[in-house]
Amino acid sequence: MNPSEQIDQLIAGLKDWRAETLAGIRKTILAADPDIVEEWKWMGSPVWCLDGNIVVGNAHKDKVKLTFFHGASLPDPDKLFNNGFGGKVWRAIDILEGDKLDEGALKDLVRAAIDYNRAKKKKKARAGARAKVQK
């Protein structure tokens, strides 16, 4: 099974509000950029990537959790992040039953994560080029 099929299977296996929530989040994330790739990592977690990891989505018993890999470095003007403030790198959004997530704000956050990944990739490439020149 490919990662998209595994995510389909995960969503189909959820028999409550979390299925619809995760499916809607997935649709919103994929709509943020047509080049986003779905991956299946860590023995059962959907991960959305573009020029690096963007966000992992997990359905827990009482919530759906979106963890942004570099969330602490992302602008969050709409205050979507509501968990993970103690860490230096990641930030999360915990969605509980009945919560409504602002799709536009989520797309903006995903796009900010893509921009972060691209900037990090360019910085790494420049550093590698400088090291090569110095040799």
Side-chain angles (χ1 to χ4, degrees):
M1 236 185 305
N2 69 42
S4 293
E5 292 168 338
Q6 290 174 301
I7 296 169
D8 290 341
Q9 187 176 46
L10 171 69
I11 291 170
L14 298 170
K15 301 298 182 194
D16 57 18
W17 64 272
R18 296 171 302 154
E20 184 178 333
T21 299
L22 188 56
I25 288 166
R26 177 190 195 189
K27 183 178 177 183
T28 301
I29 290 169
L30 292 172
D33 190 294
D35 293 326
I36 291 175
V37 175
E38 294 186 308
E39 295 186 9
W40 188 256
K41 297 185 178 187
W42 305 296
M43 298 177 5
S45 295
V47 178
W48 292 275
C49 304
L50 182 53
D51 291 321
N53 294 329
I54 300 169
V55 60
V56 59
N58 293 106
H60 295 274
K61 193 181 289 189
D62 62 341
K63 65 187 166 204
V64 173
K65 183 181 215 67
L66 294 177
T67 304
F68 281 77
F69 289 89
H70 299 285
S73 299
L74 303 179
D76 182 23
D78 296 296
K79 307 286 187 235
L80 292 181
F81 292 131
N82 58 14
N83 199 335
F85 296 108
K88 294 181 181 180
V89 180
W90 65 272
R91 293 287 183 272
I93 304 168
D94 289 348
I95 302 112
L96 304 175
E97 186 173 7
D99 286 353
K100 297 293 180 209
L101 191 59
D102 181 331
E103 290 180 23
L106 180 58
K107 281 182 190 176
D108 289 343
L109 197 54
V110 168
R111 290 177 183 132
I114 293 166
D115 290 344
Y116 176 88
N117 285 351
R118 287 180 174 156
K120 188 175 168 184
K121 192 174 179 179
K122 282 182 185 175
K123 185 177 178 181
K124 190 174 183 179
R126 282 193 304 268
R130 277 193 297 268
K132 202 174 192 180
V133 169
Q134 291 175 352
K135 285 185 178 181

